[in-house]
């Protein structure tokens, strides 16, 4: 709709909107995160929801212990190879539309424990991550910023058309294969539909 | 109460009265990724098997492949509530290994930061314990309000809220910023007021007493035999506090008492923490009053190219959760030959089954909460 006409109508007390805007506005302001802490970052996640930082301002204070009731998974902490199958399974149990924030250095890349034999080098190898937050641990403000970034993303999602949101696309996968323990490592070591190893460009 | 070592598990297909429940690793309580395989007879626990390793981050192996100083930031992430006391325990064991002296001002700073850590750990623990009992929000909110005040102090001191990485072998990394002592004094002076409020809210709360008194009793003998330390041991009535026993650092200069429990139940473990916070606030007030000026690090201490002589050392302190010790063997190279952590949470967790047997399944989470575990330290 034409912006000029919209503001002209607003002066007359008529508010217009589109279904898409209304839908996204409602969704982005009541994201329910999964209360899911893995390690150190979980404490900062809890402090973000406490009095000083007050995640409730963004409509996200309802931490749900059950994945069936949650929209957002904040992967807060080190994902070990023993825990990775459970993380993927929890993600699979969440209903669409669902989002993932990878919080902290460990969740995005393995962080300081990357050299460890038991640490997964980033949860984005198995599930699609919408927002990455660096830091060890990130401050609660960083989580708030990630949250606002996610809200902007939700606001831009389309209901129809070719680039519509994933949960409107019957072709798009909403569940991802759960890795299993192999002889040496998790199998598969990554989900190629979600993540591919970076290509090194040499001599450029 | 069913007999101990209850091996009779329901076989598949049998008409069992038993129900096997896996609690975790993702569960509503706030103690990290920890699984308990519980066998229930009705609602009573007849068998409980803790399963951990979901946060095994190879701390000891990484430490053996890095320099002595390089392990210091990793110790922050052991028990991520108490980075200062973790640093202290590690620095203490390396100081024993290399024979370094610590200047007086650094000792005072260590005591101050250590006791601040104890305050924040205990207050958060009580908040989480109450949250596990169903008091969603309020106690944790109060605890985290106080925690933020202490974290502000840590941040202005070390640059980081949680992962302070502040202690060094033979002292501390940097001196206190201007005005820090006044701010810390304010926090220490206001803390008893918060505690009184907290106590008024909780200690005589009928629901809390009903849920915790007589639940999860840990007998004195069992606590000693299992090697339980810290507030859990003292709640069972054993007078053992490493601050008094070892008098490490300068703890012999301060006046404080060691609160002891009577029954060893969950309520005692809760009350011990409340009383310990009172004592910590007293230590803080004394330390902040007497802190001298002077250097903060032993001038002989080498930070780069640090190679202690071959030998071994075990340093231990009274961390908020119990005896935290680091055992280090040096072979003269820049890396430790063997590096071992004695984590209080793991050893306090070993008697979880004994405390839970015969209790209701709803009490298991409360008992687990009163043990005060942090999975970063349990699994390492």
């Amino acid at each position: 709709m034409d912006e000029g006409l919209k503001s002209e109508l607003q002066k007359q007390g008529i508010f217009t909107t589109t279904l898409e805007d209304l839908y996204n506005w409602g969704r982005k302001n009541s994201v329910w995160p999964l209360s899911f802490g893995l390690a150190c970052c979980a404490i900062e996640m809890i402090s973000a929801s406490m009095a000083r930082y007050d995640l409730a301002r963004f409509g996200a204070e309802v931490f749900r212990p059950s994945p069936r009731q949650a929209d957002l998974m904040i992967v807060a902490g080190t994902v070990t190879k023993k825990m990775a199958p459970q993380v993927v399974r929890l993600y699979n149990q969440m209903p669409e539309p669902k989002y993932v924030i990878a919080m902290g250095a460990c969740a995005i890349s393995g962080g300081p424990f990357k050299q460890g034999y038991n640490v997964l080098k980033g949860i984005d190898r198995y599930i699609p991550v919408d927002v990455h937050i660096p830091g060890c641990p990130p401050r609660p403000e960083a989580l708030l910023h990630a949250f606002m970034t996610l809200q902007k993303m939700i606001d831009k999602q389309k209901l129809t058309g070719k680039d519509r949101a994933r949960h409107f696309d019957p072709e798009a996968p909403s569940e991802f294969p759960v890795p299993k323990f192999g002889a040496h490592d998790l199998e598969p070591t990554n989900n190629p539909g979600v993540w591919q190893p970076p290509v090194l460009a040499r001599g450029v | 109460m069913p007999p101990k070592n209850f091996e009779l598990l329901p076989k598949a297909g049998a008409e069992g009265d038993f129900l096997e429940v896996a609690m975790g690793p993702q569960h509503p309580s706030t103690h990290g990724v920890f699984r308990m395989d519980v066998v229930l007879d009705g609602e009573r626990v007849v068998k409980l098997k803790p399963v951990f390793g979901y946060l095994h981050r190879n701390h000891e192996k990484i430490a053996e492949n890095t320099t002595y100083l390089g392990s210091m930031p990793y110790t922050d992430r052991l028990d991520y509530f108490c980075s200062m006391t973790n640093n202290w325990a590690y620095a203490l064991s390396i100081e024993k290994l290399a024979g370094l002296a610590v200047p007086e001002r650094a000792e005072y700073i260590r005591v101050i930061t250590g006791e601040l850590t104890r305050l924040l750990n205990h207050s958060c623990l009580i908040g989480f314990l109450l949250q596990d009992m169903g008091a969603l929000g309020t106690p944790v909110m109060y605890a985290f309000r106080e925690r933020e005040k202490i974290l502000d102090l840590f941040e202005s001191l070390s640059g980081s809220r949680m992962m302070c990485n502040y202690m060094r072998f033979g002292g501390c990394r940097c001196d206190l910023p201007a005005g820090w002592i006044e701010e810390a004094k304010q926090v220490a002076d206001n803390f008893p007021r918060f505690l009184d409020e907290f106590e008024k809210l909780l200690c005589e709360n009928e629901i809390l007493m009903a849920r915790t008194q007589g639940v999860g009793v840990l007998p004195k003998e069992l606590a000693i035999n299992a090697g339980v330390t810290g507030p859990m041991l003292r709640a069972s009535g054993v007078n053992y506090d490493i601050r008094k026993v070892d008098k490490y650092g300068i703890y012999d200069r301060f006046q404080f008492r060691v609160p002891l429990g009577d029954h060893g139940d969950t309520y005692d473990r809760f009350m011990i923490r409340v009383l310990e916070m009172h004592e910590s606030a007293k230590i803080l007030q004394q330390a902040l009053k007497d802190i001298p000026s002077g250097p903060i690090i032993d001038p002989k201490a080498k930070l780069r190219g640090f190679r202690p002589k071959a030998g071994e050392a075990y340093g231990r302190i009274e961390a908020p959760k119990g005896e935290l010790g680091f055992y280090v063997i040096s072979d003269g190279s820049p890396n430790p030959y063997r590096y071992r952590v004695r984590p209080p949470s793991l050893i306090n967790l070993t008697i979880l089954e004994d405390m839970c047997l015969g209790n209701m399944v709803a009490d298991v989470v409360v008992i687990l909460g009163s043990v005060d575990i942090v999975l970063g330290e349990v699994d390492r």
Side-chain angles (χ1 to χ4, degrees):
Chain A
M1 191 175 183
D2 180 42
E3 283 299 314
L5 179 61
K6 206 171 173 178
S7 72
E8 199 59 39
L9 281 171
Q10 263 181 22
K11 280 177 201 154
Q12 303 299 320
I14 301 167
F15 289 86
T16 56
T17 184
T18 61
L19 188 61
E20 189 176 278
D21 284 349
L22 189 66
Y23 176 75
N24 284 342
W25 172 80
R27 262 175 354 109
K28 80 170 187 191
N29 286 311
S30 72
V31 175
W32 288 10
L34 179 63
S35 73
F36 170 62
L38 289 168
C40 332
C41 290
I43 309 301
E44 289 296 62
M45 182 177 85
I46 296 168
S47 21
S49 67
M50 289 299 155
R52 185 182 281 188
Y53 298 100
D54 199 11
L55 199 58
R57 288 176 292 165
F58 302 91
E61 81 278 23
V62 199
F63 276 84
R64 293 278 109 182
S66 163
R68 305 277 182 207
Q69 303 167 346
D71 310 310
L72 167 66
M73 180 191 235
I74 303 175
V75 184
T78 317
V79 187
T80 59
K81 286 179 183 163
K82 189 169 179 176
M83 193 61 197
Q86 274 82 336
V87 177
V88 179
R89 189 166 293 135
L90 280 170
Y91 179 79
N92 287 347
Q93 287 172 350
M94 284 163 60
E96 287 278 5
K98 54 188 171 186
Y99 305 94
V100 178
I101 291 178
M103 182 181 185
C106 292
I108 65 179
S109 71
F113 299 96
K114 187 163 188 159
Q115 52 182 308
Y117 49 85
N118 192 32
V119 175
L120 186 72
K121 279 86 186 158
I123 191 60
D124 51 2
R125 292 178 183 225
Y126 292 113
I127 55 178
V129 176
D130 296 290
V131 185
H132 295 81
I133 321 173
C136 187
R139 296 176 59 89
E141 289 96 327
L143 182 60
L144 295 185
H145 182 246
F147 202 79
M148 279 146 63
T149 314
L150 185 74
Q151 283 187 325
K152 277 180 203 147
M153 268 179 58
I154 295 176
D155 207 24
K156 279 190 202 130
Q157 284 193 324
K158 297 268 184 294
L159 300 192
T160 51
K162 216 169 162 217
D163 52 349
R164 62 189 185 275
R166 195 181 66 197
H167 59 283
F168 287 112
D169 188 357
E171 306 290 308
S174 78
E175 292 196 3
F176 293 90
V178 178
K180 289 190 179 61
F181 290 110
H184 303 292
D185 201 348
L186 288 173
E187 282 172 2
T189 51
N190 62 301
N191 180 357
V194 176
W195 184 86
Q196 257 133 19
V199 182
L200 288 181
R202 290 223 166 87
V204 180
Chain B
M1 195 192 251
K4 267 228 200 116
N5 303 325
F6 196 85
E7 290 302 329
L8 189 70
L9 278 183
K11 296 282 177 294
E15 277 192 340
D17 302 307
F18 299 112
L19 180 69
E20 216 177 325
V21 183
M23 292 173 83
Q26 151 70 9
H27 55 103
S29 90
T30 6
H31 298 286
V33 280
F34 176 64
R35 193 172 106 212
M36 289 170 285
D37 284 346
V38 192
V39 179
L40 300 174
D41 176 11
E43 274 196 67
R44 304 249 164 220
V45 178
V46 292
K47 195 174 162 73
L48 186 145
K49 192 176 140 218
V51 182
F52 33 70
Y54 288 100
L55 195 57
H56 175 54
R57 300 194 281 196
N58 338 111
H59 176 77
E60 291 175 3
K61 197 68 208 164
I62 290 176
E64 282 162 20
N65 291 327
T66 183
T67 56
Y68 285 90
L69 188 60
S71 302
M72 188 63 90
Y74 286 99
T75 61
D76 288 335
R77 288 155 182 83
L78 270 178
D79 171 359
Y80 31 80
F81 272 109
C82 323
S83 62
M84 284 291 191
T85 48
N86 296 346
N87 285 176
W88 190 359
Y90 180 55
L92 194 78
S93 53
I94 301 297
E95 279 150 16
K96 266 191 182 175
L97 184 69
L100 293 169
V102 183
E104 192 140 320
R105 185 175 170 84
E107 290 280 24
Y108 270 92
I109 296 175
R110 285 180 177 190
V111 169
I112 292 165
T113 53
E115 294 305 321
L116 283 172
T117 307
R118 200 180 311 276
L119 291 181
L120 84 86
N121 179 70
H122 284 357
S123 57
C124 288
L125 168 87
I126 291 171
F128 288 144
L129 181 64
L130 268 288
Q131 184 160 30
D132 291 348
M133 275 183 238
L136 286 169
T138 315
V140 191
M141 204 84 80
Y142 276 44
F144 269 70
R145 187 187 64 196
E146 296 308 306
R147 177 179 178 265
E148 293 291 345
K149 288 178 194 162
I150 295 171
L151 288 192
D152 280 350
L153 289 176
F154 284 175
E155 193 184 0
S156 63
L157 179 59
S158 71
S160 174
R161 278 158 55 87
M162 276 171 77
M163 306 303 174
C164 299
N165 185 14
Y166 179 64
M167 314 269 174
R168 288 290 178 265
F169 314 136
C172 298
R173 194 178 75 210
C174 47
D175 207 348
L176 302 174
W180 195 87
I181 292 183
E182 283 67 41
E183 280 172 42
K185 262 185 192 150
Q186 221 170 4
V187 170
D189 290 343
N190 287 336
F191 206 84
R193 211 179 301 155
F194 154 74
L195 271 179
D196 291 341
E197 194 188 3
F198 218 41
E199 278 182 67
K200 213 179 280 173
L201 187 70
L202 301 176
C203 288
E204 286 169 22
N205 186 312
E206 232 169 277
I207 301 171
L208 187 138
M209 279 154 74
R211 284 297 304 274
T212 54
Q213 286 184 343
V215 169
V217 177
L218 174 63
K220 204 172 179 175
E221 294 73 36
L222 179 64
I224 295 171
N225 291 345
V228 170
T229 46
M232 272 192 76
L233 180 69
R234 293 193 285 274
S236 297
V238 184
N239 189 357
Y240 181 76
D241 186 323
I242 298 171
R243 290 177 291 178
K244 290 277 189 198
V245 175
D246 265 15
K247 297 193 171 61
Y248 64 92
I250 46 164
Y251 269 114
D252 47 351
R253 297 187 195 178
F254 302 114
Q255 295 281 326
F256 66 101
R257 290 182 302 173
V258 180
L260 292 181
D262 224 4
H263 307 91
D265 57 1
T266 308
Y267 186 76
D268 276 12
R269 289 197 280 277
F270 158 76
M271 272 314 286
I272 282 286
R273 268 131 189 164
V274 174
L275 296 173
E276 270 193 12
M277 284 198 277
H278 280 293
E279 299 302 317
S280 287
K282 270 189 221 162
I283 299 175
L284 268 177
Q285 276 158 357
Q286 295 169 42
L288 286 164
K289 201 172 77 204
D290 309 337
I291 182 166
S293 54
I296 51 149
I297 192 157
D298 184 5
K300 275 187 291 181
K302 261 171 81 178
L303 288 184
R304 288 175 200 287
F306 178 72
R307 285 161 179 266
K309 285 198 300 286
E312 57 181 29
Y314 177 70
R316 59 177 191 171
I317 67 161
E318 179 73 26
K321 294 181 168 62
E323 175 186 338
L324 174 65
F326 284 84
Y327 174 62
V328 188
I329 302 179
S330 163
D331 57 356
S333 67
N335 307 343
Y337 173 75
R338 178 76 174 95
Y339 172 101
R340 152 102 185 132
V341 189
R342 184 222 185 266
S345 325
L346 172 66
I347 291 164
N348 291 356
L349 198 58
T350 50
I351 34 97
L352 183 67
E353 183 178 15
D354 300 85
M355 290 195 292
C356 289
L357 285 184
N359 281 304
M360 298 284 195
V361 63
D363 294 333
V364 169
V365 175
V366 179
I367 296 169
L368 177 71
S370 74
V371 178
D372 191 6
I373 56 164
V374 159
L375 263 292
E377 196 176 60
V378 172
D379 295 335
R380 302 192 297 291

